[in-house]
Amino acid sequence: MRGAAIAVIVALALSGGPTQAQAQPQTQAQAQPQTQVQAQPQTQVQTQAQPAADTAYTAAGLYNLANSYARAGKPGMAVLNYERAALLAPNDADIQANLNQVRASVHLPPQSSGRFGQIVRIASPDVVAWVGVLGILTIGASLGLATLSQRFRAQRFAALVLGITALAFTVGNALLQWPKLREAVVIVKETPVRVSPVPMGDPLLQLTEAETVTITAQHEDFVLVHTRTGRDGWAARADLADVVPGHSVR
């Protein structure tokens, strides 16, 4: 059913074949020593300055990527990837602990989903989806057997209740995760929020890096955001990154 598991699987791995340097014969590689010597330091500098983004879209891969951004002093990208990892592994204590630690380092309060959220998000999206499927099958089997025979009423009723409970668990998880589709994280040091979608005028407020907002509308290069404090305004789209890639308001 729709929305049973909100976690979206997006391939971030970069594909590539053998480089030209590997395909070239040894005589040609020796003929251009200066080009190779100049290109190697550039690659090393880029690797040190920017954490590798060619990671698998898994909870472990996103968690490691977030850790590398946190060590590199990029709290916005760190929070973004911790949030994505938490969607795939909602009951992982290490992800939540590191997420709260990075948010605290930039003076942002920790997020809490309450007791209901903790109960509903106890399982991974894959498990939640299968629970919903089994719930539907159990309900269907119970109702189907009722039309064939009037025997085993107690067992059929118990199976019906079990199926409804499983389906309700999946629906509750979907409803809880649904707002994540519109959430975005500030990935720059600071971005102004204005009353209109224009790059001029005095800002209503400033959003700081790693802050999470909800996108409610979009106009060209600007999005209407709703902050945790209840304020609304227009911010530059390029300064925000979706928690669920490609699923914010268009």
Side-chain angles (χ1 to χ4, degrees):
M1 64 181 299
R2 181 185 178 192
I6 299 302
V8 176
I9 307 301
V10 177
L12 300 179
L14 301 178
S15 61
T19 61
Q20 294 181 356
Q22 296 172 340
Q24 296 278 347
Q26 185 175 2
T27 55
Q28 294 182 3
Q30 293 176 352
Q32 298 178 350
Q34 185 175 1
T35 304
Q36 293 180 359
V37 171
Q38 292 176 352
Q40 187 173 3
Q42 265 185 333
T43 305
Q44 292 178 352
V45 171
Q46 291 175 356
T47 302
Q48 294 174 359
Q50 184 76 11
D54 55 344
T55 181
Y57 203 90
T58 62
L62 293 169
Y63 174 73
N64 292 331
L65 182 60
N67 287 339
S68 65
Y69 277 119
R71 288 191 295 267
K74 298 179 180 294
M77 293 300 298
V79 167
L80 174 66
N81 285 281
Y82 282 134
E83 289 277 13
R84 290 175 174 177
L87 286 176
L88 300 178
N91 56 344
D92 192 307
D94 291 336
I95 295 176
Q96 293 298 329
N98 285 15
L99 173 60
N100 291 335
Q101 183 176 357
V102 172
R103 289 179 60 85
S105 68
V106 289
H107 310 291
L108 293 174
Q111 295 178 334
S112 177
S113 56
R115 182 175 297 274
F116 174 75
Q118 294 174 359
I119 295 174
V120 174
R121 295 175 60 181
I122 195 172
S124 67
D126 289 340
V127 173
V128 171
W130 279 111
V131 168
V133 171
L134 292 176
I136 294 175
L137 293 177
T138 303
I139 294 173
S142 176
L143 296 178
L145 290 175
T147 61
L148 299 176
S149 174
Q150 297 299 321
R151 301 174 60 188
F152 307 109
R153 291 185 177 181
Q155 290 84 348
R156 286 189 283 105
F157 179 76
L160 181 62
V161 171
L162 182 62
I164 293 175
T165 302
L167 188 59
F169 173 79
T170 301
V171 172
N173 185 279
L175 292 176
L176 183 69
Q177 301 284 36
W178 185 261
K180 285 288 183 182
L181 292 177
R182 295 187 175 187
E183 285 190 358
V185 178
V186 180
I187 56 175
V188 296
K189 290 295 182 183
E190 215 173 48
T191 184
V193 176
R194 296 184 171 90
V195 68
S196 301
V198 291
M200 60 189 71
D202 295 332
L204 295 172
L205 68 151
Q206 296 281 350
L207 294 176
T208 58
E209 187 173 7
E211 190 169 351
T212 303
V213 297
T214 301
I215 297 178
T216 58
Q218 181 167 349
H219 177 74
E220 296 182 352
D221 296 332
F222 295 87
V223 288
L224 182 63
V225 299
H226 181 78
T227 68
R228 298 283 180 180
T229 58
R231 304 189 66 179
D232 298 276
W234 294 89
R237 184 68 181 92
D239 296 342
L240 307 172
D242 299 333
V243 172
V244 179
H247 280 75
S248 64
V249 176
R250 298 298 177 190

